[in-house]
Amino acid sequence: MNVLVCGGAGYIGSNMTAILAENGHNPIVFDNFSKGHRDAVKGHELAEGDLADFDLLVKILKDKKIEAVMHFAAFIEVGESCALPLEYYRNNFSNTRTLLAAMEKTEVRKFVFSSTAAVYGMPKTVPITEDLEKEPINPYGESKWAVERMCHFQSLTGRLNYAALRYFNACGAGGSGAIGEDHKPESHLIPLVIAAAMGKREDIKIFGTDYPTSDGTCIRDYIHIEDLCSAHLLALEKLDNNPELVYNLGNGKGYSVRQVIETVKKVSGKNVKVTEVARRPGDPPVLTADASKAISQLGWKVKYPQLEKIVETAWIWHSKNPQGYKK
Ligand code: UFG
Protein backbone atom coordinates (compact mmCIF):
# COMPACT_ATOMS: atom_id res chain seq x y z
CA MET A 1 0.00 0.00 0.00
CA ASN A 2 1.19 3.56 -0.70
CA VAL A 3 1.01 5.20 2.73
CA LEU A 4 1.51 8.90 3.42
CA VAL A 5 3.13 9.16 6.85
CA CYS A 6 2.42 12.67 8.14
CA GLY A 7 5.00 13.63 10.72
CA GLY A 8 7.01 10.72 9.39
CA ALA A 9 10.34 12.18 10.50
CA GLY A 10 9.34 12.36 14.16
CA TYR A 11 9.95 9.73 16.81
CA ILE A 12 6.90 7.56 16.24
CA GLY A 13 6.53 8.43 12.54
CA SER A 14 10.09 7.43 11.68
CA ASN A 15 9.72 4.09 13.44
CA MET A 16 6.42 3.53 11.63
CA THR A 17 8.02 4.40 8.29
CA ALA A 18 10.70 1.74 8.81
CA ILE A 19 8.14 -0.88 9.84
CA LEU A 20 5.85 -0.11 6.89
CA ALA A 21 8.78 -0.56 4.49
CA GLU A 22 9.86 -3.80 6.20
CA ASN A 23 6.33 -5.14 5.75
CA GLY A 24 6.16 -4.52 2.02
CA HIS A 25 4.35 -1.18 2.06
CA ASN A 26 5.54 1.98 0.37
CA PRO A 27 5.76 4.79 2.94
CA ILE A 28 6.08 8.40 1.81
CA VAL A 29 7.24 10.69 4.59
CA PHE A 30 5.41 14.01 4.78
CA ASP A 31 7.05 16.41 7.21
CA ASN A 32 7.82 20.10 7.55
CA PHE A 33 10.93 19.25 9.62
CA SER A 34 9.97 21.72 12.34
CA LYS A 35 10.60 18.93 14.85
CA GLY A 36 11.46 15.86 12.78
CA HIS A 37 14.92 14.60 11.81
CA ARG A 38 16.15 13.91 8.30
CA ASP A 39 18.60 11.36 9.69
CA ALA A 40 15.70 9.33 11.11
CA VAL A 41 14.24 8.68 7.63
CA LYS A 42 17.34 8.22 5.47
CA GLY A 43 16.60 6.09 2.41
CA HIS A 44 12.84 6.72 2.49
CA GLU A 45 10.90 8.86 0.04
CA LEU A 46 10.27 12.37 1.34
CA ALA A 47 7.53 14.83 0.53
CA GLU A 48 8.46 18.00 2.36
CA GLY A 49 5.66 20.37 3.21
CA ASP A 50 3.20 21.67 5.71
CA LEU A 51 -0.14 20.19 6.68
CA ALA A 52 -1.76 23.62 6.40
CA ASP A 53 -1.14 23.47 2.63
CA PHE A 54 -4.34 21.95 1.23
CA ASP A 55 -3.30 22.24 -2.45
CA LEU A 56 0.05 20.54 -1.79
CA LEU A 57 -1.67 17.73 0.12
CA VAL A 58 -4.13 17.17 -2.71
CA LYS A 59 -1.27 17.08 -5.22
CA ILE A 60 0.77 14.59 -3.18
CA LEU A 61 -2.22 12.35 -2.45
CA LYS A 62 -2.97 12.24 -6.19
CA ASP A 63 0.55 12.12 -7.64
CA LYS A 64 1.78 9.43 -5.23
CA LYS A 65 -1.43 7.41 -5.56
CA ILE A 66 -1.79 7.35 -1.78
CA GLU A 67 -4.12 4.65 -0.45
CA ALA A 68 -3.87 5.38 3.27
CA VAL A 69 -2.69 8.15 5.57
CA MET A 70 -1.05 7.72 8.95
CA HIS A 71 -0.97 10.93 10.93
CA PHE A 72 1.68 11.55 13.61
CA ALA A 73 2.32 15.26 13.08
CA ALA A 74 1.32 17.08 16.25
CA PHE A 75 2.57 19.16 19.14
CA ILE A 76 2.84 16.90 22.19
CA GLU A 77 3.72 19.01 25.22
CA VAL A 78 0.99 19.17 27.82
CA GLY A 79 2.55 22.15 29.64
CA GLU A 80 3.15 24.07 26.43
CA SER A 81 -0.43 23.39 25.36
CA CYS A 82 -1.69 25.22 28.45
CA ALA A 83 0.48 28.22 27.60
CA LEU A 84 -0.32 28.18 23.85
CA PRO A 85 -3.76 26.60 23.43
CA LEU A 86 -4.46 28.28 20.09
CA GLU A 87 -1.24 26.86 18.62
CA TYR A 88 -2.35 23.38 19.69
CA TYR A 89 -5.78 23.81 18.14
CA ARG A 90 -4.15 25.15 14.95
CA ASN A 91 -1.53 22.47 14.53
CA ASN A 92 -3.28 19.46 16.03
CA PHE A 93 -6.86 20.18 15.07
CA SER A 94 -7.06 22.66 12.14
CA ASN A 95 -4.22 21.03 10.21
CA THR A 96 -5.83 17.62 10.65
CA ARG A 97 -9.08 19.05 9.31
CA THR A 98 -7.16 20.28 6.25
CA LEU A 99 -5.63 16.82 5.82
CA LEU A 100 -9.05 15.13 6.04
CA ALA A 101 -10.46 17.63 3.53
CA ALA A 102 -7.63 16.81 1.10
CA MET A 103 -8.32 13.11 1.63
CA GLU A 104 -12.01 13.65 0.97
CA LYS A 105 -11.24 15.56 -2.23
CA THR A 106 -8.94 12.81 -3.52
CA GLU A 107 -11.13 9.99 -2.20
CA VAL A 108 -8.47 8.53 0.08
CA ARG A 109 -10.48 6.75 2.74
CA LYS A 110 -8.08 5.08 5.14
CA PHE A 111 -6.74 7.07 8.07
CA VAL A 112 -4.77 6.00 11.13
CA PHE A 113 -4.64 8.68 13.79
CA SER A 114 -2.22 9.11 16.68
CA SER A 115 -4.38 9.77 19.70
CA THR A 116 -3.43 9.71 23.33
CA ALA A 117 -4.35 8.57 26.83
CA ALA A 118 -4.61 12.29 27.57
CA VAL A 119 -8.16 12.17 26.12
CA TYR A 120 -9.27 10.49 29.39
CA GLY A 121 -8.02 13.31 31.65
CA MET A 122 -8.06 12.14 35.27
CA PRO A 123 -9.65 8.69 34.86
CA LYS A 124 -11.99 7.53 37.59
CA THR A 125 -10.79 3.93 37.28
CA VAL A 126 -7.67 2.16 36.02
CA PRO A 127 -6.77 0.25 33.95
CA ILE A 128 -8.52 2.47 31.43
CA THR A 129 -10.93 0.96 28.92
CA GLU A 130 -11.82 2.77 25.71
CA ASP A 131 -15.38 3.52 26.82
CA LEU A 132 -14.37 5.49 29.91
CA GLU A 133 -15.44 9.18 29.92
CA LYS A 134 -13.33 11.45 27.76
CA GLU A 135 -12.62 14.48 29.91
CA PRO A 136 -9.29 15.95 28.81
CA ILE A 137 -7.79 18.39 31.28
CA ASN A 138 -5.48 20.28 28.94
CA PRO A 139 -5.54 21.69 25.38
CA TYR A 140 -3.26 18.90 24.14
CA GLY A 141 -5.69 16.15 25.14
CA GLU A 142 -8.64 18.25 24.06
CA SER A 143 -7.15 18.86 20.58
CA LYS A 144 -6.68 15.11 20.08
CA TRP A 145 -10.18 14.33 21.33
CA ALA A 146 -11.62 16.99 18.98
CA VAL A 147 -9.90 15.22 16.07
CA GLU A 148 -11.36 11.88 17.17
CA ARG A 149 -14.85 13.40 17.18
CA MET A 150 -14.27 14.96 13.75
CA CYS A 151 -13.16 11.56 12.41
CA HIS A 152 -16.21 9.94 13.96
CA PHE A 153 -18.64 12.30 12.21
CA GLN A 154 -16.71 12.13 8.94
CA SER A 155 -16.83 8.32 9.09
CA LEU A 156 -20.64 8.52 9.42
CA THR A 157 -20.77 10.16 5.95
CA GLY A 158 -19.26 7.00 4.50
CA ARG A 159 -16.20 8.86 3.19
CA LEU A 160 -13.69 7.89 5.90
CA ASN A 161 -12.53 4.67 7.52
CA TYR A 162 -10.35 5.57 10.51
CA ALA A 163 -8.50 4.11 13.46
CA ALA A 164 -7.85 6.26 16.53
CA LEU A 165 -5.03 4.75 18.55
CA ARG A 166 -4.69 6.08 22.08
CA TYR A 167 -1.10 5.80 23.16
CA PHE A 168 0.06 5.48 26.70
CA ASN A 169 3.78 6.21 27.23
CA ALA A 170 5.61 5.49 23.98
CA CYS A 171 9.29 4.78 24.57
CA GLY A 172 12.36 2.79 23.57
CA ALA A 173 14.16 2.72 20.23
CA GLY A 174 13.19 0.71 17.17
CA GLY A 175 15.29 -1.22 14.66
CA SER A 176 17.45 -2.78 17.42
CA GLY A 177 18.26 0.62 18.83
CA ALA A 178 18.65 2.39 15.46
CA ILE A 179 15.65 4.77 15.51
CA GLY A 180 15.40 6.69 18.73
CA GLU A 181 13.63 9.39 20.66
CA ASP A 182 15.04 12.89 20.23
CA HIS A 183 12.67 15.69 21.20
CA LYS A 184 13.94 19.22 21.57
CA PRO A 185 13.32 20.17 24.28
CA GLU A 186 13.01 16.73 25.84
CA SER A 187 10.32 16.36 28.50
CA HIS A 188 9.81 12.59 28.64
CA LEU A 189 10.96 10.65 31.64
CA ILE A 190 13.03 7.82 30.11
CA PRO A 191 15.25 9.95 27.82
CA LEU A 192 15.73 12.45 30.64
CA VAL A 193 16.85 9.77 33.11
CA ILE A 194 19.17 8.37 30.44
CA ALA A 195 20.60 11.86 29.89
CA ALA A 196 21.28 12.08 33.63
CA ALA A 197 22.94 8.63 33.58
CA MET A 198 25.14 9.80 30.69
CA GLY A 199 26.19 12.88 32.62
CA LYS A 200 24.42 15.21 30.20
CA ARG A 201 22.20 16.51 32.99
CA GLU A 202 23.08 17.08 36.58
CA ASP A 203 20.08 15.18 37.93
CA ILE A 204 16.60 13.85 37.29
CA LYS A 205 13.81 15.65 39.05
CA ILE A 206 10.92 13.61 40.37
CA PHE A 207 7.76 15.64 39.98
CA GLY A 208 5.89 14.80 43.17
CA THR A 209 6.51 12.11 45.78
CA ASP A 210 3.20 12.39 47.64
CA TYR A 211 0.89 10.64 45.17
CA PRO A 212 -1.40 7.87 46.45
CA THR A 213 0.82 5.14 44.94
CA SER A 214 3.07 2.52 46.53
CA ASP A 215 6.20 4.72 46.47
CA GLY A 216 4.50 8.12 46.20
CA THR A 217 5.48 8.74 42.56
CA CYS A 218 3.29 8.62 39.43
CA ILE A 219 2.65 5.33 37.70
CA ARG A 220 2.63 5.14 33.89
CA ASP A 221 2.22 2.42 31.28
CA TYR A 222 5.36 2.29 29.11
CA ILE A 223 4.92 0.77 25.67
CA HIS A 224 7.76 0.04 23.26
CA ILE A 225 7.74 1.97 20.01
CA GLU A 226 7.83 -1.19 17.88
CA ASP A 227 4.83 -2.61 19.72
CA LEU A 228 3.01 0.65 19.15
CA CYS A 229 3.85 0.52 15.43
CA SER A 230 2.87 -3.12 15.02
CA ALA A 231 -0.62 -2.22 16.26
CA HIS A 232 -0.81 0.52 13.61
CA LEU A 233 -0.02 -1.99 10.92
CA LEU A 234 -2.75 -4.34 12.16
CA ALA A 235 -5.25 -1.47 12.35
CA LEU A 236 -4.35 -0.37 8.82
CA GLU A 237 -5.03 -3.86 7.53
CA LYS A 238 -8.43 -3.89 9.25
CA LEU A 239 -9.61 -0.56 7.86
CA ASP A 240 -11.00 -1.99 4.62
CA ASN A 241 -14.07 -3.33 6.35
CA ASN A 242 -14.35 -1.01 9.34
CA PRO A 243 -15.29 2.67 9.30
CA GLU A 244 -14.30 3.21 12.92
CA LEU A 245 -11.68 1.54 15.11
CA VAL A 246 -10.62 2.86 18.52
CA TYR A 247 -7.95 1.19 20.64
CA ASN A 248 -5.85 1.85 23.70
CA LEU A 249 -2.23 0.93 23.14
CA GLY A 250 -0.36 0.12 26.33
CA ASN A 251 1.27 -2.76 28.15
CA GLY A 252 -1.32 -2.81 30.90
CA LYS A 253 1.41 -2.79 33.52
CA GLY A 254 2.36 0.31 35.46
CA TYR A 255 5.79 1.46 36.60
CA SER A 256 6.43 4.31 39.01
CA VAL A 257 8.86 7.14 38.32
CA ARG A 258 11.21 5.67 40.91
CA GLN A 259 11.03 2.24 39.22
CA VAL A 260 11.90 3.84 35.87
CA ILE A 261 14.92 5.54 37.43
CA GLU A 262 16.07 2.27 39.04
CA THR A 263 15.66 0.46 35.72
CA VAL A 264 17.79 3.01 33.87
CA LYS A 265 20.45 2.72 36.58
CA LYS A 266 20.46 -1.05 36.23
CA VAL A 267 20.57 -1.08 32.42
CA SER A 268 23.24 1.63 32.17
CA GLY A 269 25.33 0.61 35.16
CA LYS A 270 25.49 4.33 36.05
CA ASN A 271 24.31 6.25 39.04
CA VAL A 272 21.70 8.98 38.69
CA LYS A 273 21.28 11.91 41.06
CA VAL A 274 17.63 12.29 42.03
CA THR A 275 16.07 15.56 43.19
CA GLU A 276 12.55 15.47 44.57
CA VAL A 277 10.49 18.50 43.59
CA ALA A 278 6.84 19.55 43.62
CA ARG A 279 4.18 17.89 41.49
CA ARG A 280 3.90 18.88 37.82
CA PRO A 281 0.41 20.32 37.23
CA GLY A 282 -1.99 18.00 35.42
CA ASP A 283 -0.31 14.66 36.18
CA PRO A 284 -2.82 11.93 37.11
CA PRO A 285 -1.37 9.57 39.77
CA VAL A 286 -1.89 6.38 37.74
CA LEU A 287 -2.44 5.86 34.01
CA THR A 288 -2.50 2.28 32.79
CA ALA A 289 -4.21 0.83 29.76
CA ASP A 290 -6.66 -1.96 29.37
CA ALA A 291 -5.52 -2.94 25.87
CA SER A 292 -7.52 -6.16 25.72
CA LYS A 293 -9.63 -4.80 22.86
CA ALA A 294 -6.55 -4.33 20.62
CA ILE A 295 -5.25 -7.74 21.67
CA SER A 296 -8.49 -9.58 20.91
CA GLN A 297 -9.73 -7.63 17.86
CA LEU A 298 -6.43 -6.87 16.13
CA GLY A 299 -4.55 -9.95 17.28
CA TRP A 300 -1.93 -7.56 18.68
CA LYS A 301 1.00 -9.18 20.47
CA VAL A 302 3.37 -7.14 22.58
CA LYS A 303 7.04 -8.06 22.15
CA TYR A 304 8.33 -5.89 24.99
CA PRO A 305 6.27 -6.43 28.14
CA GLN A 306 9.30 -5.74 30.40
CA LEU A 307 10.43 -2.20 31.12
CA GLU A 308 14.05 -3.33 31.37
CA LYS A 309 14.08 -4.60 27.78
CA ILE A 310 12.45 -1.39 26.58
CA VAL A 311 15.01 0.75 28.38
CA GLU A 312 17.84 -1.37 26.92
CA THR A 313 16.81 -0.36 23.39
CA ALA A 314 16.63 3.32 24.40
CA TRP A 315 20.02 3.08 26.09
CA ILE A 316 21.60 1.62 22.92
CA TRP A 317 20.30 4.52 20.82
CA HIS A 318 21.31 7.25 23.26
CA SER A 319 24.77 5.70 23.74
CA LYS A 320 25.29 5.69 19.98
CA ASN A 321 23.82 9.19 19.55
CA PRO A 322 24.90 11.17 22.62
CA GLN A 323 24.02 14.47 20.97
CA GLY A 324 20.83 13.15 19.37
CA TYR A 325 20.29 13.14 15.61
CA LYS A 326 22.76 15.39 13.75
CA LYS A 327 20.02 16.69 11.48
N1 UFG B 1 8.44 12.95 35.25
C1 UFG B 1 9.30 13.29 36.27
N2 UFG B 1 10.42 14.00 35.95
C2 UFG B 1 10.70 14.40 34.69
C3 UFG B 1 9.81 14.04 33.65
C4 UFG B 1 8.69 13.31 33.97
O1 UFG B 1 9.08 12.97 37.44
O2 UFG B 1 11.73 15.07 34.49
C5 UFG B 1 7.25 12.16 35.57
C6 UFG B 1 5.96 12.84 35.17
O3 UFG B 1 5.53 13.70 36.18
C7 UFG B 1 5.05 11.63 34.93
C8 UFG B 1 6.00 10.54 34.43
O4 UFG B 1 7.30 10.98 34.81
O5 UFG B 1 4.51 11.22 36.15
C9 UFG B 1 5.96 10.38 32.93
O6 UFG B 1 6.11 11.66 32.35
P1 UFG B 1 6.29 11.90 30.77
O7 UFG B 1 6.41 13.38 30.58
O8 UFG B 1 7.40 11.05 30.27
O9 UFG B 1 4.96 11.34 30.14
P2 UFG B 1 3.44 11.70 30.46
O10 UFG B 1 2.86 10.52 31.16
O11 UFG B 1 3.29 13.00 31.11
O12 UFG B 1 2.88 11.92 29.00
C10 UFG B 1 2.80 10.92 28.05
C11 UFG B 1 2.98 11.51 26.66
C12 UFG B 1 1.93 12.52 26.39
C13 UFG B 1 0.57 11.87 26.56
C14 UFG B 1 0.47 11.23 27.92
C15 UFG B 1 -0.80 10.47 27.98
O13 UFG B 1 4.24 12.13 26.59
O14 UFG B 1 2.06 12.98 25.06
O15 UFG B 1 1.55 10.33 28.12
O16 UFG B 1 -0.92 9.86 29.18
F1 UFG B 1 -0.41 12.79 26.47
Side-chain angles (χ1 to χ4, degrees):
M1 221 185 284
N2 295 329
V3 183
L4 191 69
V5 187
C6 298
Y11 169 49
I12 302 176
S14 57
N15 276 281
M16 191 71 236
T17 297
I19 287 177
L20 282 165
E22 275 164 27
N23 284 274
H25 294 290
N26 177 33
I28 292 124
V29 172
F30 185 82
D31 209 296
N32 65 4
F33 292 98
S34 64
K35 307 263 181 191
H37 303 283
R38 290 175 198 279
D39 282 350
V41 284
K42 272 190 207 149
H44 297 288
E45 185 174 351
L46 295 185
E48 194 163 344
D50 199 276
L51 278 175
D53 192 340
F54 174 79
D55 293 337
L56 176 65
L57 285 168
V58 168
K59 183 173 175 355
I60 290 171
L61 290 167
K62 266 196 210 151
D63 290 355
K64 305 285 178 191
K65 300 189 169 50
I66 297 297
E67 297 160 271
V69 174
M70 289 190 167
H71 180 29
F72 302 95
F75 292 155
I76 58 164
E77 296 281 330
V78 169
E80 183 184 62
S81 80
C82 297
L84 302 169
L86 299 183
E87 274 301 285
Y88 274 66
Y89 276 89
R90 178 190 63 74
N91 192 38
N92 295 5
F93 181 78
S94 303
N95 285 350
T96 307
R97 198 212 69 86
T98 303
L99 174 61
L100 290 181
M103 289 174 64
E104 181 174 70
K105 177 145 180 137
T106 51
E107 296 181 10
V108 177
R109 297 178 65 88
K110 294 182 199 170
F111 187 59
V112 180
F113 175 61
S114 227
S115 190
T116 168
V119 300
Y120 299 108
M122 295 278 181
K124 290 188 185 71
T125 54
V126 286
I128 298 170
T129 50
E130 287 84 354
D131 56 357
L132 222 63
E133 284 96 337
K134 266 57 79 183
E135 291 171 356
I137 55 165
N138 51 60
Y140 167 69
E142 194 66 55
S143 68
K144 291 280 182 172
W145 177 232
V147 170
E148 283 201 33
R149 296 307 289 157
M150 175 167 61
C151 289
H152 166 71
F153 289 113
Q154 182 69 353
S155 78
L156 294 181
T157 69
R159 298 192 289 274
L160 182 74
N161 286 11
Y162 82 100
L165 304 178
R166 297 179 185 149
Y167 311 159
F168 284 66
N169 291 61
C171 53
S176 307
I179 316 170
E181 181 172 13
D182 182 11
H183 298 113
K184 290 197 177 64
E186 189 54 79
S187 65
H188 295 98
L189 181 63
I190 291 177
L192 288 175
V193 184
I194 288 178
M198 293 173 75
K200 286 167 58 189
R201 301 171 57 87
E202 192 196 323
D203 63 355
I204 183 72
K205 296 191 171 42
I206 299 186
F207 298 145
T209 52
D210 58 350
Y211 283 98
T213 59
S214 52
D215 67 15
T217 68
C218 286
I219 291 177
R220 293 288 179 275
D221 181 333
Y222 295 90
I223 179 80
H224 192 267
I225 188 75
E226 282 181 0
D227 286 329
L228 208 63
C229 291
S230 73
H232 287 63
L233 208 56
L234 294 165
L236 178 67
E237 283 157 9
K238 217 177 157 67
L239 276 180
D240 266 333
N241 308 316
N242 291 285
E244 186 163 41
L245 299 170
V246 178
Y247 297 110
N248 285 339
L249 298 181
N251 254 316
K253 183 164 162 41
Y255 291 91
S256 72
V257 174
R258 288 193 204 280
Q259 285 175 314
V260 171
I261 295 170
E262 287 310 310
T263 306
V264 172
K265 280 164 68 177
K266 185 171 174 208
V267 167
S268 65
K270 312 269 184 203
N271 201 17
V272 174
K273 183 177 170 215
V274 171
T275 309
E276 298 182 2
V277 299
R279 291 182 180 196
R280 186 174 70 175
D283 269 338
V286 181
L287 284 176
T288 53
D290 180 334
S292 52
K293 194 175 160 205
I295 292 165
S296 64
Q297 293 188 3
L298 294 177
W300 185 43
K301 290 193 185 74
V302 168
K303 280 199 311 191
Y304 291 90
Q306 305 289 350
L307 183 63
E308 195 172 323
K309 296 282 171 209
I310 297 177
V311 169
E312 276 172 19
T313 65
W315 177 252
I316 292 171
W317 188 81
H318 286 280
S319 307
K320 278 197 263 175
N321 301 274
Q323 306 307 325
Y325 284 113
K326 288 196 184 65
K327 52 180 194 304

